[in-house]
Amino acid sequence: MKKSLTASLALVAALGLAACSEKAKDETSQAANTIAGDVAATADNAAADVANVGEDAIGAAENAADKAGAAIDNAAAKADAAADKASAKVDAAADKAGQATGKALDAAGNTLKKAADDVRH
């Protein structure tokens, strides 16, 4: 009986160790799966962060281009307004010069007529 009790105890101990060993394997496997999931999630988050940085950079470049375009448009509008103003001044000066020339020619013609009348009389 002593032999059967010893054999039984050895069998119970072996089964206990086997069960404990299987439980340890399961827990280790679960821990490994959790770690793998965490690593994958971290990699996904890092990739998303990199993509967001790229999108932010593109957005900033687009905003800078829009601002530059608006500045160019404003400068062109100001240049057009200045050209229109200068053109109006040139036109006004040309009109005055034309009027003055016309008056001078009229005066010269009148002087010539008077001189001719004086010569005839």
Side-chain angles (χ1 to χ4, degrees):
M1 184 156 149
K2 196 172 184 184
K3 284 185 178 184
S4 68
L5 181 63
T6 304
S8 295
L9 285 176
L11 182 62
V12 169
L15 289 175
L17 283 176
C20 181
S21 176
E22 191 62 36
K23 184 178 177 186
K25 285 180 187 177
D26 289 343
E27 288 176 357
T28 302
S29 176
Q30 287 175 355
N33 288 337
T34 301
I35 290 169
D38 289 346
V39 168
T42 301
D44 289 344
N45 288 340
D49 288 345
V50 169
N52 289 338
V53 167
E55 289 174 13
D56 290 346
I58 290 169
E62 287 173 347
N63 288 339
D66 289 344
K67 287 180 183 179
I72 290 168
D73 288 345
N74 288 339
K78 287 179 182 179
D80 284 345
D84 289 344
K85 192 174 182 179
S87 178
K89 287 183 179 182
V90 167
D91 288 345
D95 288 344
K96 285 183 182 179
Q99 290 171 1
T101 301
K103 287 180 183 179
L105 288 173
D106 286 342
N110 290 336
T111 301
L112 287 173
K113 282 182 187 179
K114 186 177 178 196
D117 285 341
D118 287 343
V119 170
R120 282 190 219 157
H121 295 134

